[in-house]
Amino acid sequence: MNLEEWMKRELDDTYLSTMIMKERVYKKVNNVPKKQDVYMIMGINLKGYKRIIDIIVLEEETTSFWFNKMSELKSRGINELFMVSMLDNDHMKKAIKMAYPGVILMPSMMEIYNNTRPYILQKNHRELMRDMQNIYKSKDIEEAKMLYNEIKNKYKDNKLLLMVVDKYIDDIMEVVKYSREARTISSYTFSYLKMRARIVKNLDEYKVFNNNEKIKKYIEM
């Protein structure tokens, strides 16, 4: 299957859990390397298999751009996205809600992982992420609030870290009302790490791309 066929292949009807990640590469523009955002959409289908759904090279940061991309996914067979672990991107959020009104949007554990890492030692960071994941998987809102207060007490001297955590906590609390089993599946974004590591390794090795098609082709390899 060549790249064009791969990008147009039919997708599964339903994805239980979907994760959107962003990586940054360099693309030549007028022969000058410039930063280029690349989004990867990965999902778990009804059979439990992880799949790369799509690779999107950002052309413009607008709701219209993202809605067109979501419409393309619908045309390729996706009728329902159950839970989406996504980035803090208002244009993307609006577009996904327009295309899939019933979707549950969850803050990305991967984004929380990346944004908290600079403010805490690595050995303590793993513990923090377990604590954050436990909030996702809590049995009810009372337990979620209790766990959040424990995090605030544990890291009370690390104001910068708590500022990052507080940025996501309201959205996390909002999804606690949904099924615990569903939250557990969607919160475990670390199951995607091997797939992400392979993609990032490929991107790092290539250094600079000549155009968008080269980016997509190299990620798909």
Side-chain angles (χ1 to χ4, degrees):
M1 182 183 295
N2 61 33
L3 179 63
E4 185 176 353
E5 292 171 334
W6 186 84
M7 296 299 290
K8 293 180 179 178
R9 75 198 187 286
E10 187 173 351
L11 299 168
D12 291 294
D13 177 81
T14 302
Y15 288 88
L16 294 174
S17 173
T18 306
M19 184 174 70
I20 302 175
M21 297 191 310
K22 180 175 76 171
E23 298 295 338
R24 185 158 284 178
V25 301
Y26 283 91
K27 183 181 74 172
K28 286 183 180 178
V29 179
N30 297 326
N31 226 27
V32 177
K34 293 190 175 181
K35 290 181 180 178
Q36 170 71 61
D37 287 337
V38 179
Y39 291 84
M40 287 160 287
I41 305 178
M42 303 178 185
I44 299 176
N45 63 17
L46 290 176
K47 295 181 180 179
Y49 294 117
K50 293 187 291 292
R51 296 284 186 260
I52 296 179
I53 296 173
D54 204 1
I55 299 161
I56 298 173
V57 181
L58 186 67
E59 295 172 7
E60 56 178 347
E61 191 60 271
T62 64
T63 302
S64 176
F65 171 81
W66 284 110
F67 181 71
N68 288 337
K69 291 300 176 183
M70 293 303 110
S71 297
E72 287 177 15
L73 297 185
K74 293 194 82 168
S75 69
R76 291 170 57 195
I78 301 181
N79 289 319
E80 184 173 3
L81 296 176
F82 181 48
M83 279 189 162
V84 177
S85 175
M86 64 168 300
L87 306 170
D88 185 21
N89 182 314
D90 288 339
H91 294 297
M92 193 188 299
K93 288 178 182 177
K94 289 177 184 176
I96 294 175
K97 274 290 189 182
M98 289 165 63
Y100 298 97
V103 70
I104 299 169
L105 299 180
M106 302 179 67
S108 168
M109 287 294 286
M110 194 66 71
E111 185 173 71
I112 296 172
Y113 177 93
N114 290 332
N115 289 346
T116 54
R117 190 166 50 178
Y119 304 109
I120 188 171
L121 294 174
Q122 184 174 354
K123 62 177 182 178
N124 297 330
H125 190 234
R126 290 194 291 269
E127 184 178 345
L128 169 68
M129 293 310 299
R130 283 196 295 269
D131 292 341
M132 294 297 293
Q133 211 168 30
N134 285 338
I135 296 178
Y136 265 109
K137 297 185 291 184
S138 56
K139 63 182 181 181
D140 53 36
I141 192 66
E142 285 73 26
E143 183 179 68
K145 289 178 178 178
M146 180 194 71
L147 292 171
Y148 171 52
N149 286 329
E150 288 178 1
I151 288 175
K152 287 200 297 183
N153 186 57
K154 186 186 296 186
Y155 303 104
K156 61 185 178 182
D157 296 327
N158 194 334
K159 305 299 183 185
L160 292 176
L161 176 68
L162 289 180
M163 283 177 63
V164 177
V165 171
D166 286 346
K167 177 182 177 182
Y168 298 97
I169 201 66
D170 286 345
D171 288 337
I172 292 174
M173 292 296 180
E174 182 64 24
V175 300
V176 171
K177 63 186 180 184
Y178 296 107
S179 159
R180 189 178 189 181
E181 290 76 12
R183 284 186 278 117
T184 299
I185 294 171
S186 296
S187 69
Y188 196 65
T189 52
F190 294 107
S191 64
Y192 293 95
L193 278 176
K194 287 185 179 179
M195 191 183 296
R196 176 180 183 264
R198 176 183 65 80
I199 292 170
V200 173
K201 182 175 183 291
N202 283 348
L203 293 175
D204 287 344
E205 287 178 352
Y206 202 85
K207 304 301 182 186
V208 180
F209 296 85
N210 290 321
N211 53 55
N212 291 354
E213 290 307 308
K214 286 282 187 181
I215 297 171
K216 293 178 182 178
K217 185 173 183 179
Y218 207 76
I219 292 175
E220 189 268 337
M221 286 170 59

